Amino acid sequence: MKYQESLLKAIRLKVSASVSLIDEIASILEISYDASHRRISQKSKFSIDEAIKLANHFNISLDNLFSKKEKVIVEKTIEIETLKDMLQYFKSSAEQVEILTKNPETILYYSAKDIPLFYFMDGTILSKFKAFVWLNLLNSNQKKVPFENFIIEESFTEFMQKLKKAYENTFVNEIWNDTTINSSLQQILYFYEAGLLDLKSANALCKDLKRIINLIQEKCNKPNTNFAIYYNELILLNNNMLIETNEKLTMFVPYTLLGYFITDNDDSCKNVHQFFKQQISNSKPLGQSGIKEQNLFFNRANRKIDYYIEKINSQVDLFF
């Protein structure tokens, strides 16, 4: 009965003290109250199917319970190969983030190797360009059409706005460094040089990127805001995201361009939570820094964008 006892102990940690464990298990396994009571009192055993059903329902790793090897159960976002897949990805992401951030006391942490995708949810030219980039990089068989001929469904806007709203209504801690904007700039240059992006669009994208940088600087200086950005010079960032609620921690770990593993494994999330706090303690809080420190950071970002604008426009002469 040792294994059954371990499983029941793990389930009790997941169930509120105000909820009847007998009723809960009876409901999940679709068995009678008496049958549930016999299993909980260990007078009868869970079948293999029942144990798996309970483990899936409560997100419990049977490997962790019954072996010495530490393993973590994760969900993963869907694989993206088409615009339809991408629409489903944003729909699922919006629903999941909405649920996790509905409590006003929720805190979100973001290690910004790249500009967080929430900034590309405004329906601007950069929003369309990011969808164009993601689809081209995630599907090698994607037909190479110019950006100007690329069309995304209007329904994208609905889910993008949901993601943006959830992000803006949550207390957010972002950690940036001087390379956070690099990939967006390099993507603009790459598709311009590949002939899939015209000069007018390339300049408009750089201008929109400047808008985002200026927006973030404005957010830094707003009083009583639910936003904090930290400048970290010490470590490479990784696009990890952690959502902290009153009930639990949930971690999002990237494994492809848009793909994330998602877990609320207690030990793993606590370790990442502590690591985020360490990163923040070793970073400069730009919202609390003087104007000099702020300007140094944001001016470097704007100068980098200006450099790419000059580089793109200087190539015009080479084509004639």
Side-chain angles (χ1 to χ4, degrees):
M1 287 293 184
K2 183 178 71 173
Y3 294 141
Q4 182 147 326
E5 184 179 342
S6 297
L7 178 57
L8 286 166
K9 184 178 179 180
I11 291 171
R12 285 189 177 96
L13 293 174
K14 300 276 187 175
V15 176
S16 169
S18 62
V19 173
S20 164
L21 186 61
I22 297 175
D23 288 335
E24 185 78 358
I25 288 180
S27 174
I28 296 165
L29 298 182
E30 299 177 323
I31 57 179
S32 69
Y33 181 92
D34 288 342
S36 176
H37 182 270
R38 287 195 298 274
R39 285 160 175 76
I40 291 171
S41 62
Q42 301 187 51
K43 292 178 181 176
S44 62
K45 294 181 180 180
F46 290 122
S47 69
I48 292 176
D49 287 345
E50 288 174 342
I52 292 172
K53 192 171 185 178
L54 289 169
N56 287 336
H57 181 85
F58 291 107
N59 200 20
I60 294 169
S61 169
L62 294 178
D63 283 330
N64 280 352
L65 280 179
F66 306 141
S67 75
K68 294 181 180 179
K69 294 181 180 179
E70 186 171 343
K71 298 182 180 180
V72 176
I73 291 179
V74 298
E75 299 176 47
K76 73 181 186 71
T77 52
I78 68 167
E79 304 299 333
I80 299 173
E81 294 185 354
T82 66
L83 269 173
K84 185 177 180 181
D85 294 337
M86 192 177 292
L87 178 63
Q88 182 59 42
Y89 170 89
F90 281 113
K91 181 178 183 292
S92 300
S93 298
E95 290 169 350
Q96 190 152 25
V97 172
E98 261 191 328
I99 291 170
L100 289 171
T101 59
K102 63 183 178 182
N103 188 313
E105 295 182 13
T106 296
I107 302 173
L108 188 149
Y109 300 85
Y110 201 112
S111 174
K113 177 183 177 182
D114 305 311
I115 298 174
L117 60 84
F118 301 97
Y119 289 106
F120 305 120
M121 304 288 137
D122 284 326
T124 65
I125 188 171
L126 202 47
S127 305
K128 176 185 172 185
F129 179 69
K130 280 295 179 176
F132 173 77
V133 170
W134 292 328
L135 203 57
N136 273 278
L137 297 184
L138 288 168
N139 182 6
S140 59
N141 297 319
Q142 173 71 15
K143 185 179 179 182
K144 304 303 179 188
V145 300
F147 169 70
E148 290 72 27
N149 296 338
F150 179 69
I151 298 172
I152 58 175
E153 297 178 29
E154 288 185 11
S155 49
F156 268 89
T157 304
E158 176 189 349
F159 302 120
M160 286 182 170
Q161 287 299 312
K162 281 187 177 181
L163 270 173
K164 181 186 174 190
K165 184 178 179 182
Y167 198 67
E168 290 178 343
N169 290 340
T170 302
F171 190 94
V172 174
N173 291 301
E174 292 178 10
I175 304 171
W176 285 47
N177 63 21
D178 287 319
T179 65
T180 297
I181 68 169
N182 285 7
S183 64
S184 292
L185 286 167
Q186 194 58 38
Q187 288 161 4
I188 295 169
L189 180 64
Y190 172 86
F191 284 100
Y192 173 68
E193 291 182 338
L196 295 173
L197 180 68
D198 68 25
L199 182 64
K200 181 180 177 182
S201 294
N203 279 302
L205 288 166
C206 289
K207 182 180 178 182
D208 204 22
L209 197 53
K210 279 202 165 195
R211 176 191 61 81
I212 289 175
I213 298 302
N214 293 334
L215 172 69
I216 294 168
Q217 186 169 13
E218 288 174 8
K219 286 173 72 174
C220 270
N221 296 307
K222 285 183 179 178
N224 303 318
T225 183
N226 60 349
F227 171 80
I229 181 171
Y230 298 87
Y231 171 49
N232 190 298
E233 301 175 85
L234 301 175
I235 62 172
L236 294 174
L237 306 177
N238 56 11
N239 286 337
N240 270 8
M241 186 171 75
L242 184 77
I243 297 179
E244 177 186 2
T245 68
N246 291 334
E247 295 83 23
K248 64 178 180 177
L249 296 166
T250 305
M251 175 172 56
F252 297 73
V253 181
Y255 70 94
T256 63
L257 189 63
L258 281 179
Y260 276 83
F261 291 127
I262 307 165
T263 183
D264 58 5
N265 176 267
D266 194 49
D267 289 338
S268 300
C269 288
K270 283 180 179 177
N271 287 337
V272 171
H273 189 221
Q274 183 59 36
F275 185 57
F276 265 113
K277 289 185 174 181
Q278 289 173 355
Q279 289 182 68
I280 287 172
S281 69
N282 290 320
S283 302
K284 294 177 182 176
L286 294 178
Q288 300 170 28
S289 300
I291 193 70
K292 178 183 176 182
E293 288 290 344
Q294 269 194 35
N295 284 343
L296 282 172
F297 176 77
F298 290 110
N299 287 346
R300 280 196 301 270
N302 278 306
R303 282 199 301 271
K304 190 175 286 188
I305 298 171
D306 288 337
Y307 170 79
Y308 273 79
I309 291 173
E310 185 178 340
K311 189 172 184 178
I312 289 167
N313 285 279
S314 67
Q315 294 187 29
V316 175
D317 296 333
L318 300 177
F319 298 149
F320 294 96

